[in-house]
């Protein structure tokens, strides 16, 4: 049943992501280089939503343990924020026209010597936008089902019987659950000279 649920929700996620990507193509004009900044950013936000839908379909499909969803702070800080910064930089560099943000990011990229790399990556802005949404979706996890746990009984140490000469000290290690009979203690070693025959 688990495999069927996950497969069905994966298919639904893929279909929803496909609809969102198609919707993004309707937002952009036929010649993407003539898109306004609002058309450009809105279209790629919709593509990023497609990546988010894929990640959420896996979360809802139960592959992460079922239970209540939560945000993993470590994945958000270490995984998503760098992805957002680098991916957002490339998306900004790919902004068509000579608008303020795109122009500045392209100039800054050239100034720090990564202009060629950023220029190459702007050819794949659709995949980068999708990846940003996907990584954001991966910051969500589930806590798993609540499991009733049996309380662990407290162990109370028993005081050892002490005699004046130390012969009554009970320093044996107890192994077992307490229901098994205890083994016989070893004989005390003899002191003195061996008996002659």
């Amino acid at each position: 049943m688990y495999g069927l649920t996950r497969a069905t929700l994966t298919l639904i996620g893929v279909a929803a992501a496909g609809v969102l990507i198609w919707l993004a193509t309707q937002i952009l004009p036929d010649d993407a280089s003539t898109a306004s900044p609002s058309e450009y950013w809105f279209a790629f936000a919709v593509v990023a939503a497609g990546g988010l839908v894929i990640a959420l379909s896996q979360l809802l499909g139960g592959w992460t343990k079922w239970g209540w969803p939560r945000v993993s702070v470590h994945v958000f800080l270490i995984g998503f924020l760098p992805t957002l910064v680098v991916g957002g930089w490339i998306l900004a560099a790919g902004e068509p026209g000579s608008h303020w943000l795109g122009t500045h990011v392209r100039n800054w990229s050239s100034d720090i010597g990564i202009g060629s790399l950023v220029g190459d990556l702007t050819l794949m802005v659709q995949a980068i936008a999708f990846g940003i949404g996907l990584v954001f979706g991966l910051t969500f996890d589930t806590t798993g089902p609540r499991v009733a746990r049996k309380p662990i009984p407290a162990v109370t140490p028993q005081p050892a019987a002490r005699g004046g000469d130390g012969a009554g000290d009970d320093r044996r290690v107890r192994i077992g659950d307490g229901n098994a009979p205890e083994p016989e203690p070893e004989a005390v070693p003899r002191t003195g000279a061996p008996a002659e025959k």
Side-chain angles (χ1 to χ4, degrees), residues 9-10 14 17 47 67 69 88 100 134 136 138 145 147:
L9 286 170
T10 299
V14 169
V47 172
W100 184 88
L134 181 65
F136 179 65
L138 294 176
V147 177

Side-chain angles (χ1 to χ4, degrees), residues 100-177:
W100 184 88
L101 182 61
T103 301
H104 279 75
V105 170
R106 287 188 291 273
N107 290 338
W108 294 333
S109 298
S110 295
D111 291 345
I112 61 175
I114 59 170
S116 177
L117 174 65
V118 170
D120 291 342
L121 289 174
T122 58
L123 296 173
M124 294 293 147
V125 288
Q126 299 89 344
I128 290 169
F130 189 86
I132 291 170
L134 181 65
V135 174
F136 179 65
L138 294 176
T139 63
F140 295 96
D141 194 2
T142 53
T143 57
R146 298 222 178 236
V147 177
R149 298 187 182 199
K150 295 179 183 177
I152 299 172
V155 177
T156 309
Q158 299 293 328
R162 296 194 178 267
D165 60 354
D169 286 354
D170 186 9
R171 297 184 182 193
R172 294 175 288 156
V173 176
R174 302 273 193 261
I175 300 175
D177 60 2

Side-chain angles (χ1 to χ4, degrees), residues 21-44 47 96 125-126:
I21 291 170
W22 172 81
L23 183 60
T25 66
Q26 302 304 303
I27 296 168
L28 286 175
D30 291 337
D31 184 6
S33 63
T34 62
S36 70
S38 60
E39 289 173 327
Y40 177 83
W41 287 106
F42 185 58
F44 287 111
V47 172
V125 288
Q126 299 89 344

